Amino acid sequence: YLTFDDGPLNGSENINDIILKEKIKISVFMVGEHVIKDKQMDTYAKYYEEDPYIDEYNHSFTHANNHYEAFYSDVQKSVKDILYNQSLLKLPYKIVRLPGRNMWRLNGKSKNDVSNGIQTADQLAKLGYKVMGWDVEWQHRDSDGTPIQSVDEMYKAVQNLCNSGSTFTKNNVVMLIHDEMFQKPWEESELKQLIDLLRAKP
């Protein structure tokens, strides 16, 4: 599963372009504040909405303002932020990824990366949300958003996870990617290269 966080951002338009041309399903976890603060990002959000290959999910309204400890310490505030994002973006599915946390509440199974955020995940699960984490992250540089691992390294990581049986759900690999990583056009994009590699050996 290719899953993209923090959109819409610069790069979202290229992801949309790639997905339309490659015709593969992806999931995007949206931050509402990005949509309402910038007309260009609002346009990118509409691209996602209209793309038949993209499912839009919840990634909170504020992205915790990148202060995760404080955000999750106030459970009521963090849950309210996520519920507001759901209604603002009119998201059709109750599926959420917590900002800054790799936590799961799915099909009766749960997994936490740290203790700060557990209560928020539990509360959302009680409200009927599926909380999605990830099995492997394609990391990026904060300075310019460029991918850190090469396409080959990511392909090998997926292969190893498929063989290891250590993923959250057996025979499923959920990859976390960020929208800002793909600011190059479709033909030059590392994302296209990875899709091509994965398709070559299904």
PDB file of all heavy atoms in Angstrom, residues 159-185:
ATOM      1  N   GLN A 159      10.674  -5.894  -0.367  1.00  0.00           N
ATOM      2  CA  GLN A 159      10.938  -7.327  -0.584  1.00  0.00           C
ATOM      3  C   GLN A 159      11.233  -8.039   0.737  1.00  0.00           C
ATOM      4  O   GLN A 159      10.679  -9.097   1.030  1.00  0.00           O
ATOM      5  CB  GLN A 159      12.147  -7.476  -1.510  1.00  0.00           C
ATOM      6  CG  GLN A 159      11.811  -8.143  -2.809  1.00  0.00           C
ATOM      7  CD  GLN A 159      13.051  -8.292  -3.692  1.00  0.00           C
ATOM      8  OE1 GLN A 159      14.109  -7.728  -3.431  1.00  0.00           O
ATOM      9  NE2 GLN A 159      12.892  -9.038  -4.759  1.00  0.00           N
ATOM     10  N   ASN A 160      12.102  -7.424   1.546  1.00  0.00           N
ATOM     11  CA  ASN A 160      12.486  -8.021   2.835  1.00  0.00           C
ATOM     12  C   ASN A 160      11.284  -8.140   3.769  1.00  0.00           C
ATOM     13  O   ASN A 160      11.125  -9.150   4.463  1.00  0.00           O
ATOM     14  CB  ASN A 160      13.590  -7.192   3.510  1.00  0.00           C
ATOM     15  CG  ASN A 160      14.909  -7.299   2.760  1.00  0.00           C
ATOM     16  OD1 ASN A 160      15.121  -8.246   2.000  1.00  0.00           O
ATOM     17  ND2 ASN A 160      15.784  -6.333   2.949  1.00  0.00           N
ATOM     18  N   LEU A 161      10.445  -7.104   3.781  1.00  0.00           N
ATOM     19  CA  LEU A 161       9.258  -7.137   4.636  1.00  0.00           C
ATOM     20  C   LEU A 161       8.282  -8.222   4.177  1.00  0.00           C
ATOM     21  O   LEU A 161       7.681  -8.906   5.002  1.00  0.00           O
ATOM     22  CB  LEU A 161       8.559  -5.773   4.635  1.00  0.00           C
ATOM     23  CG  LEU A 161       9.150  -4.734   5.583  1.00  0.00           C
ATOM     24  CD1 LEU A 161       8.630  -3.348   5.243  1.00  0.00           C
ATOM     25  CD2 LEU A 161       8.843  -5.063   7.036  1.00  0.00           C
ATOM     26  N   CYS A 162       8.150  -8.380   2.873  1.00  0.00           N
ATOM     27  CA  CYS A 162       7.263  -9.430   2.338  1.00  0.00           C
ATOM     28  C   CYS A 162       7.718 -10.803   2.811  1.00  0.00           C
ATOM     29  O   CYS A 162       6.904 -11.678   3.116  1.00  0.00           O
ATOM     30  CB  CYS A 162       7.274  -9.411   0.810  1.00  0.00           C
ATOM     31  SG  CYS A 162       6.322  -8.065   0.108  1.00  0.00           S
ATOM     32  N   ASN A 163       9.024 -10.993   2.872  1.00  0.00           N
ATOM     33  CA  ASN A 163       9.584 -12.294   3.243  1.00  0.00           C
ATOM     34  C   ASN A 163       9.689 -12.502   4.752  1.00  0.00           C
ATOM     35  O   ASN A 163       9.822 -13.631   5.218  1.00  0.00           O
ATOM     36  CB  ASN A 163      10.979 -12.469   2.613  1.00  0.00           C
ATOM     37  CG  ASN A 163      10.910 -12.463   1.092  1.00  0.00           C
ATOM     38  OD1 ASN A 163       9.906 -12.892   0.527  1.00  0.00           O
ATOM     39  ND2 ASN A 163      11.945 -11.960   0.437  1.00  0.00           N
ATOM     40  N   SER A 164       9.636 -11.407   5.522  1.00  0.00           N
ATOM     41  CA  SER A 164       9.928 -11.512   6.958  1.00  0.00           C
ATOM     42  C   SER A 164       8.727 -11.922   7.796  1.00  0.00           C
ATOM     43  O   SER A 164       8.881 -12.460   8.892  1.00  0.00           O
ATOM     44  CB  SER A 164      10.423 -10.158   7.479  1.00  0.00           C
ATOM     45  OG  SER A 164       9.339  -9.238   7.516  1.00  0.00           O
ATOM     46  N   GLY A 165       7.512 -11.606   7.312  1.00  0.00           N
ATOM     47  CA  GLY A 165       6.322 -11.872   8.121  1.00  0.00           C
ATOM     48  C   GLY A 165       6.192 -10.938   9.307  1.00  0.00           C
ATOM     49  O   GLY A 165       5.435 -11.205  10.241  1.00  0.00           O
ATOM     50  N   SER A 166       6.940  -9.814   9.309  1.00  0.00           N
ATOM     51  CA  SER A 166       6.936  -8.926  10.484  1.00  0.00           C
ATOM     52  C   SER A 166       6.049  -7.697  10.300  1.00  0.00           C
ATOM     53  O   SER A 166       6.098  -6.772  11.105  1.00  0.00           O
ATOM     54  CB  SER A 166       8.367  -8.479  10.799  1.00  0.00           C
ATOM     55  OG  SER A 166       8.882  -7.726   9.712  1.00  0.00           O
ATOM     56  N   THR A 167       5.236  -7.669   9.237  1.00  0.00           N
ATOM     57  CA  THR A 167       4.356  -6.519   9.025  1.00  0.00           C
ATOM     58  C   THR A 167       3.140  -6.602   9.947  1.00  0.00           C
ATOM     59  O   THR A 167       2.819  -7.673  10.463  1.00  0.00           O
ATOM     60  CB  THR A 167       3.899  -6.452   7.552  1.00  0.00           C
ATOM     61  OG1 THR A 167       3.302  -7.704   7.205  1.00  0.00           O
ATOM     62  CG2 THR A 167       5.067  -6.173   6.622  1.00  0.00           C
ATOM     63  N   PHE A 168       2.462  -5.469  10.122  1.00  0.00           N
ATOM     64  CA  PHE A 168       1.302  -5.448  11.027  1.00  0.00           C
ATOM     65  C   PHE A 168       0.242  -6.441  10.568  1.00  0.00           C
ATOM     66  O   PHE A 168      -0.348  -7.152  11.368  1.00  0.00           O
ATOM     67  CB  PHE A 168       0.716  -4.036  11.111  1.00  0.00           C
ATOM     68  CG  PHE A 168      -0.432  -3.937  12.081  1.00  0.00           C
ATOM     69  CD1 PHE A 168      -0.202  -3.842  13.440  1.00  0.00           C
ATOM     70  CD2 PHE A 168      -1.751  -3.966  11.635  1.00  0.00           C
ATOM     71  CE1 PHE A 168      -1.262  -3.778  14.348  1.00  0.00           C
ATOM     72  CE2 PHE A 168      -2.815  -3.899  12.526  1.00  0.00           C
ATOM     73  CZ  PHE A 168      -2.566  -3.797  13.883  1.00  0.00           C
ATOM     74  N   THR A 169      -0.017  -6.463   9.274  1.00  0.00           N
ATOM     75  CA  THR A 169      -0.944  -7.437   8.689  1.00  0.00           C
ATOM     76  C   THR A 169      -0.154  -8.332   7.746  1.00  0.00           C
ATOM     77  O   THR A 169       0.562  -7.825   6.872  1.00  0.00           O
ATOM     78  CB  THR A 169      -2.078  -6.734   7.914  1.00  0.00           C
ATOM     79  OG1 THR A 169      -2.759  -5.839   8.807  1.00  0.00           O
ATOM     80  CG2 THR A 169      -3.071  -7.736   7.356  1.00  0.00           C
ATOM     81  N   LYS A 170      -0.275  -9.631   7.925  1.00  0.00           N
ATOM     82  CA  LYS A 170       0.496 -10.570   7.114  1.00  0.00           C
ATOM     83  C   LYS A 170       0.260 -10.333   5.618  1.00  0.00           C
ATOM     84  O   LYS A 170      -0.873 -10.110   5.188  1.00  0.00           O
ATOM     85  CB  LYS A 170       0.089 -12.001   7.490  1.00  0.00           C
ATOM     86  CG  LYS A 170       1.074 -13.042   6.993  1.00  0.00           C
ATOM     87  CD  LYS A 170       0.652 -14.446   7.388  1.00  0.00           C
ATOM     88  CE  LYS A 170       1.617 -15.444   6.757  1.00  0.00           C
ATOM     89  NZ  LYS A 170       1.190 -16.821   6.943  1.00  0.00           N
ATOM     90  N   ASN A 171       1.344 -10.404   4.856  1.00  0.00           N
ATOM     91  CA  ASN A 171       1.297 -10.232   3.388  1.00  0.00           C
ATOM     92  C   ASN A 171       0.827  -8.848   2.935  1.00  0.00           C
ATOM     93  O   ASN A 171       0.426  -8.666   1.794  1.00  0.00           O
ATOM     94  CB  ASN A 171       0.416 -11.307   2.727  1.00  0.00           C
ATOM     95  CG  ASN A 171       0.972 -12.700   2.954  1.00  0.00           C
ATOM     96  OD1 ASN A 171       2.185 -12.880   3.013  1.00  0.00           O
ATOM     97  ND2 ASN A 171       0.094 -13.670   3.106  1.00  0.00           N
ATOM     98  N   ASN A 172       0.851  -7.886   3.851  1.00  0.00           N
ATOM     99  CA  ASN A 172       0.560  -6.491   3.498  1.00  0.00           C
ATOM    100  C   ASN A 172       1.756  -5.639   3.911  1.00  0.00           C
ATOM    101  O   ASN A 172       2.225  -5.762   5.052  1.00  0.00           O
ATOM    102  CB  ASN A 172      -0.662  -5.971   4.267  1.00  0.00           C
ATOM    103  CG  ASN A 172      -1.968  -6.575   3.772  1.00  0.00           C
ATOM    104  OD1 ASN A 172      -2.804  -5.902   3.212  1.00  0.00           O
ATOM    105  ND2 ASN A 172      -2.131  -7.862   3.994  1.00  0.00           N
ATOM    106  N   VAL A 173       2.230  -4.796   3.017  1.00  0.00           N
ATOM    107  CA  VAL A 173       3.272  -3.830   3.366  1.00  0.00           C
ATOM    108  C   VAL A 173       2.691  -2.438   3.158  1.00  0.00           C
ATOM    109  O   VAL A 173       2.299  -2.082   2.051  1.00  0.00           O
ATOM    110  CB  VAL A 173       4.537  -4.003   2.499  1.00  0.00           C
ATOM    111  CG1 VAL A 173       5.576  -2.933   2.858  1.00  0.00           C
ATOM    112  CG2 VAL A 173       5.135  -5.391   2.665  1.00  0.00           C
ATOM    113  N   VAL A 174       2.611  -1.669   4.244  1.00  0.00           N
ATOM    114  CA  VAL A 174       2.122  -0.293   4.164  1.00  0.00           C
ATOM    115  C   VAL A 174       3.337   0.640   4.185  1.00  0.00           C
ATOM    116  O   VAL A 174       4.093   0.652   5.156  1.00  0.00           O
ATOM    117  CB  VAL A 174       1.172   0.031   5.343  1.00  0.00           C
ATOM    118  CG1 VAL A 174       0.736   1.496   5.305  1.00  0.00           C
ATOM    119  CG2 VAL A 174      -0.045  -0.891   5.308  1.00  0.00           C
ATOM    120  N   MET A 175       3.514   1.376   3.085  1.00  0.00           N
ATOM    121  CA  MET A 175       4.645   2.297   2.981  1.00  0.00           C
ATOM    122  C   MET A 175       4.186   3.729   3.228  1.00  0.00           C
ATOM    123  O   MET A 175       3.224   4.190   2.624  1.00  0.00           O
ATOM    124  CB  MET A 175       5.289   2.204   1.585  1.00  0.00           C
ATOM    125  CG  MET A 175       6.562   3.020   1.471  1.00  0.00           C
ATOM    126  SD  MET A 175       7.231   3.060  -0.223  1.00  0.00           S
ATOM    127  CE  MET A 175       7.681   1.353  -0.438  1.00  0.00           C
ATOM    128  N   LEU A 176       4.895   4.404   4.140  1.00  0.00           N
ATOM    129  CA  LEU A 176       4.632   5.819   4.408  1.00  0.00           C
ATOM    130  C   LEU A 176       5.542   6.670   3.520  1.00  0.00           C
ATOM    131  O   LEU A 176       6.761   6.499   3.501  1.00  0.00           O
ATOM    132  CB  LEU A 176       4.904   6.144   5.884  1.00  0.00           C
ATOM    133  CG  LEU A 176       4.978   7.627   6.246  1.00  0.00           C
ATOM    134  CD1 LEU A 176       3.666   8.335   5.977  1.00  0.00           C
ATOM    135  CD2 LEU A 176       5.387   7.807   7.698  1.00  0.00           C
ATOM    136  N   ILE A 177       4.901   7.590   2.800  1.00  0.00           N
ATOM    137  CA  ILE A 177       5.602   8.514   1.906  1.00  0.00           C
ATOM    138  C   ILE A 177       5.020   9.904   2.193  1.00  0.00           C
ATOM    139  O   ILE A 177       3.931  10.019   2.758  1.00  0.00           O
ATOM    140  CB  ILE A 177       5.348   8.111   0.425  1.00  0.00           C
ATOM    141  CG1 ILE A 177       5.538   6.599   0.230  1.00  0.00           C
ATOM    142  CG2 ILE A 177       6.258   8.851  -0.525  1.00  0.00           C
ATOM    143  CD1 ILE A 177       5.098   6.055  -1.123  1.00  0.00           C
ATOM    144  N   HIS A 178       5.728  10.959   1.829  1.00  0.00           N
ATOM    145  CA  HIS A 178       5.202  12.309   2.045  1.00  0.00           C
ATOM    146  C   HIS A 178       5.092  13.055   0.718  1.00  0.00           C
ATOM    147  O   HIS A 178       5.970  12.945  -0.143  1.00  0.00           O
ATOM    148  CB  HIS A 178       6.097  13.082   3.025  1.00  0.00           C
ATOM    149  CG  HIS A 178       5.954  12.597   4.438  1.00  0.00           C
ATOM    150  ND1 HIS A 178       6.667  11.523   4.925  1.00  0.00           N
ATOM    151  CD2 HIS A 178       5.162  13.022   5.453  1.00  0.00           C
ATOM    152  CE1 HIS A 178       6.313  11.314   6.189  1.00  0.00           C
ATOM    153  NE2 HIS A 178       5.404  12.202   6.525  1.00  0.00           N
ATOM    154  N   ASP A 179       4.027  13.811   0.589  1.00  0.00           N
ATOM    155  CA  ASP A 179       3.728  14.494  -0.680  1.00  0.00           C
ATOM    156  C   ASP A 179       4.890  15.351  -1.181  1.00  0.00           C
ATOM    157  O   ASP A 179       5.176  15.400  -2.372  1.00  0.00           O
ATOM    158  CB  ASP A 179       2.483  15.390  -0.522  1.00  0.00           C
ATOM    159  CG  ASP A 179       1.191  14.588  -0.561  1.00  0.00           C
ATOM    160  OD1 ASP A 179       1.167  13.490  -0.002  1.00  0.00           O
ATOM    161  OD2 ASP A 179       0.213  15.075  -1.158  1.00  0.00           O
ATOM    162  N   GLU A 180       5.556  16.039  -0.238  1.00  0.00           N
ATOM    163  CA  GLU A 180       6.579  17.013  -0.656  1.00  0.00           C
ATOM    164  C   GLU A 180       7.806  16.364  -1.298  1.00  0.00           C
ATOM    165  O   GLU A 180       8.670  17.049  -1.845  1.00  0.00           O
ATOM    166  CB  GLU A 180       7.010  17.853   0.550  1.00  0.00           C
ATOM    167  CG  GLU A 180       7.669  17.039   1.642  1.00  0.00           C
ATOM    168  CD  GLU A 180       7.737  17.782   2.967  1.00  0.00           C
ATOM    169  OE1 GLU A 180       8.430  18.813   3.037  1.00  0.00           O
ATOM    170  OE2 GLU A 180       7.109  17.313   3.931  1.00  0.00           O
ATOM    171  N   MET A 181       7.891  15.033  -1.263  1.00  0.00           N
ATOM    172  CA  MET A 181       9.056  14.343  -1.815  1.00  0.00           C
ATOM    173  C   MET A 181       9.071  14.329  -3.339  1.00  0.00           C
ATOM    174  O   MET A 181      10.099  14.024  -3.943  1.00  0.00           O
ATOM    175  CB  MET A 181       9.087  12.897  -1.310  1.00  0.00           C
ATOM    176  CG  MET A 181       9.360  12.788   0.176  1.00  0.00           C
ATOM    177  SD  MET A 181       8.994  11.138   0.832  1.00  0.00           S
ATOM    178  CE  MET A 181      10.159  10.108  -0.046  1.00  0.00           C
ATOM    179  N   PHE A 182       7.953  14.626  -3.967  1.00  0.00           N
ATOM    180  CA  PHE A 182       7.859  14.406  -5.419  1.00  0.00           C
ATOM    181  C   PHE A 182       7.518  15.698  -6.157  1.00  0.00           C
ATOM    182  O   PHE A 182       6.424  15.866  -6.670  1.00  0.00           O
ATOM    183  CB  PHE A 182       6.863  13.287  -5.709  1.00  0.00           C
ATOM    184  CG  PHE A 182       7.255  12.030  -4.986  1.00  0.00           C
ATOM    185  CD1 PHE A 182       6.530  11.572  -3.902  1.00  0.00           C
ATOM    186  CD2 PHE A 182       8.405  11.347  -5.340  1.00  0.00           C
ATOM    187  CE1 PHE A 182       6.924  10.441  -3.197  1.00  0.00           C
ATOM    188  CE2 PHE A 182       8.806  10.216  -4.643  1.00  0.00           C
ATOM    189  CZ  PHE A 182       8.064   9.758  -3.574  1.00  0.00           C
ATOM    190  N   GLN A 183       8.500  16.582  -6.189  1.00  0.00           N
ATOM    191  CA  GLN A 183       8.303  17.865  -6.849  1.00  0.00           C
ATOM    192  C   GLN A 183       8.875  17.870  -8.269  1.00  0.00           C
ATOM    193  O   GLN A 183       8.921  18.900  -8.927  1.00  0.00           O
ATOM    194  CB  GLN A 183       8.893  18.980  -5.977  1.00  0.00           C
ATOM    195  CG  GLN A 183       8.159  19.050  -4.630  1.00  0.00           C
ATOM    196  CD  GLN A 183       8.606  20.166  -3.725  1.00  0.00           C
ATOM    197  OE1 GLN A 183       8.888  21.264  -4.171  1.00  0.00           O
ATOM    198  NE2 GLN A 183       8.676  19.889  -2.429  1.00  0.00           N
ATOM    199  N   LYS A 184       9.307  16.693  -8.720  1.00  0.00           N
ATOM    200  CA  LYS A 184       9.769  16.562 -10.117  1.00  0.00           C
ATOM    201  C   LYS A 184       8.599  16.071 -10.979  1.00  0.00           C
ATOM    202  O   LYS A 184       7.718  15.392 -10.480  1.00  0.00           O
ATOM    203  CB  LYS A 184      10.875  15.509 -10.226  1.00  0.00           C
ATOM    204  CG  LYS A 184      12.151  15.832  -9.482  1.00  0.00           C
ATOM    205  CD  LYS A 184      13.105  14.655  -9.646  1.00  0.00           C
ATOM    206  CE  LYS A 184      14.351  14.804  -8.812  1.00  0.00           C
ATOM    207  NZ  LYS A 184      15.147  13.574  -8.829  1.00  0.00           N
ATOM    208  N   PRO A 185       8.634  16.361 -12.284  1.00  0.00           N
ATOM    209  CA  PRO A 185       7.583  15.843 -13.175  1.00  0.00           C
ATOM    210  C   PRO A 185       7.560  14.316 -13.224  1.00  0.00           C
ATOM    211  O   PRO A 185       8.535  13.663 -12.854  1.00  0.00           O
ATOM    212  CB  PRO A 185       7.941  16.417 -14.549  1.00  0.00           C
ATOM    213  CG  PRO A 185       9.007  17.436 -14.325  1.00  0.00           C
ATOM    214  CD  PRO A 185       9.594  17.204 -12.978  1.00  0.00           C
TER     215      PRO A 185
END
